[in-house]
Amino acid sequence: MSDHAETTTLAAEAAVAATPDKGESLLARHVAAFFESPLAVAGLVTLLAMVLLALLAPFIAPQNPYDLSQLDIMDGTLAPGAKSLAGYTFWLGTDEQGRDMLSGILYGLRISLGVGAVSTVIACALGASIGVVAAYAGGRVDTLVMRVVDLQLSFPAILVALVLLAVFGRGVDKVVIALVIVQWAYYARTVRGSALVERRREYIEAARCLALPKNRVVFRHLLPNCLPPLIVVATVQVAHSIALESTLSFLGVGVPVTEPSLGMLIAKGYDYLLSGKYWISTFPGVALVLAIVAINLVGDRLRDVLNPRLSR
């Protein structure tokens, strides 16, 4: 009997130890699960470092690449580590206009990351609102919205953005508007799919029985429970926005020449690749790839953490 009692006691202790701490919040468990992945942590650290460098660019950049008065054509296409006539060392070289590539990359990150973040936030808010309203309303409203979404997604994003910028013209604000128009449909479809499941839950029925206003049911009860997949899509779409903005700038229809982004810096060095002046395109390209890979690593881990069924 003593052996049986000891075995029972050990089993009970193991069950208690395996039981999750109810005092631990869901957010704390998600954060702990996120930091279990070394790749996700490396991506997050890289992303935060690049954001910090972009924000502090006016204070740490050796040169303001947007100020044409600071550029000297005599310093054009200098190799990495070369010194200017004034004795300044260009650690990453210069482009054909004498622009310091290190400064250009830091300022280019500000535009690329800023455009990606702002366009994602606006498109996410717009698309999520449309998707959750369509799912809750159902019927003709849902059908009409989803046909518009299907029509939007049937065209390549780069093609739609090119047409919009051909109409709007060049500029950072124009690029943001084009990216919002291109991306809102992704969020609308994602939220609509989640909302169709959530609206059958008991808490939605309870809210209806309490005769709560429809806007409160939709935006205070239904939409918050659709956030997990929305967060994952939004994170991945930031990387897509940055890549799309860089592509548009590379093609010469994005940001103006006076405010070069990473895509425009890559385009400026494209003609010099065969002449051995690799640094003009290579270093901005490396910065762009690092930013996109870091965001995708964070997004992939968020998908696994917020959807435990994927890890089974």
Side-chain angles (χ1 to χ4, degrees):
M1 291 295 296
S2 60
D3 294 340
H4 177 70
E6 183 178 359
T7 303
T8 304
T9 302
L10 292 175
E13 292 177 352
V16 172
T19 303
D21 185 8
K22 294 185 179 180
E24 184 183 11
S25 66
L26 181 62
L27 177 61
R29 292 200 294 270
H30 284 335
V31 171
F34 178 87
F35 282 96
E36 290 177 357
S37 172
L39 285 177
V41 174
L44 181 61
V45 171
T46 303
L47 178 60
L48 292 178
M50 299 186 80
V51 171
L52 184 62
L53 289 174
L55 292 176
L56 298 179
F59 306 100
I60 63 177
Q63 179 191 80
N64 184 357
Y66 301 158
D67 187 0
L68 300 181
S69 63
Q70 296 185 19
L71 305 182
D72 189 352
I73 195 64
M74 299 299 296
D75 296 330
T77 63
L78 293 180
K83 291 187 177 181
S84 66
L85 298 177
Y88 173 74
T89 302
F90 297 105
W91 298 108
L92 298 184
T94 62
D95 61 8
E96 78 280 2
Q97 296 179 346
R99 180 183 288 110
D100 178 34
M101 295 306 303
L102 176 60
S103 302
I105 291 173
L106 294 178
Y107 274 83
L109 280 173
R110 288 168 60 90
I111 293 181
S112 297
L113 295 177
V115 167
V118 172
S119 62
T120 297
V121 170
I122 299 175
C124 181
L126 178 62
S129 300
I130 295 175
V132 72
V133 169
Y136 185 80
R140 295 182 179 179
V141 175
D142 184 33
T143 302
L144 177 61
V145 170
M146 293 315 299
R147 295 296 77 76
V148 175
V149 169
D150 292 339
L151 180 63
Q152 169 81 42
L153 297 179
S154 64
F155 293 97
I158 183 65
L159 178 61
V160 177
L162 284 172
V163 172
L164 292 174
L165 289 177
V167 176
F168 297 152
R170 301 175 65 176
V172 176
D173 55 339
K174 308 296 191 308
V175 174
V176 170
I177 295 174
L179 293 180
V180 169
I181 296 175
V182 166
Q183 292 184 333
W184 72 270
Y186 295 101
Y187 305 103
R189 170 171 285 183
T190 300
V191 173
R192 185 249 185 188
S194 299
L196 287 177
V197 177
E198 292 295 328
R199 74 173 184 176
R200 300 185 179 92
R201 305 286 187 185
E202 290 78 5
Y203 69 92
I204 297 296
E205 294 296 332
R208 288 173 176 171
C209 293
L210 293 174
L212 295 178
K214 291 184 178 180
N215 60 343
R216 182 174 180 179
V217 176
V218 171
F219 294 103
R220 296 286 298 275
H221 298 277
L222 185 57
L223 182 59
N225 287 279
C226 302
L227 288 181
L230 185 63
I231 293 174
V232 176
V233 173
T235 304
V236 176
Q237 284 300 116
V238 172
H240 183 259
S241 298
I242 294 174
L244 187 55
E245 181 276 326
S246 299
T247 303
L248 295 172
S249 298
F250 181 86
L251 296 176
V253 296
V255 298
V257 180
T258 56
E259 298 180 4
S261 66
L262 294 179
M264 183 168 291
L265 291 176
I266 296 173
K268 285 181 174 295
Y270 180 75
D271 295 333
Y272 293 90
L273 287 176
L274 297 180
S275 62
K277 298 177 175 61
Y278 63 90
W279 59 88
I280 304 177
S281 285
T282 301
F283 293 138
V286 170
L288 178 62
V289 170
L290 283 177
I292 293 176
V293 170
I295 295 173
N296 283 328
L297 288 176
V298 173
D300 289 343
R301 185 56 182 172
L302 286 176
R303 179 196 59 191
D304 297 337
V305 170
L306 297 178
N307 190 359
R309 290 177 295 181
L310 296 177
S311 60
R312 293 178 182 177

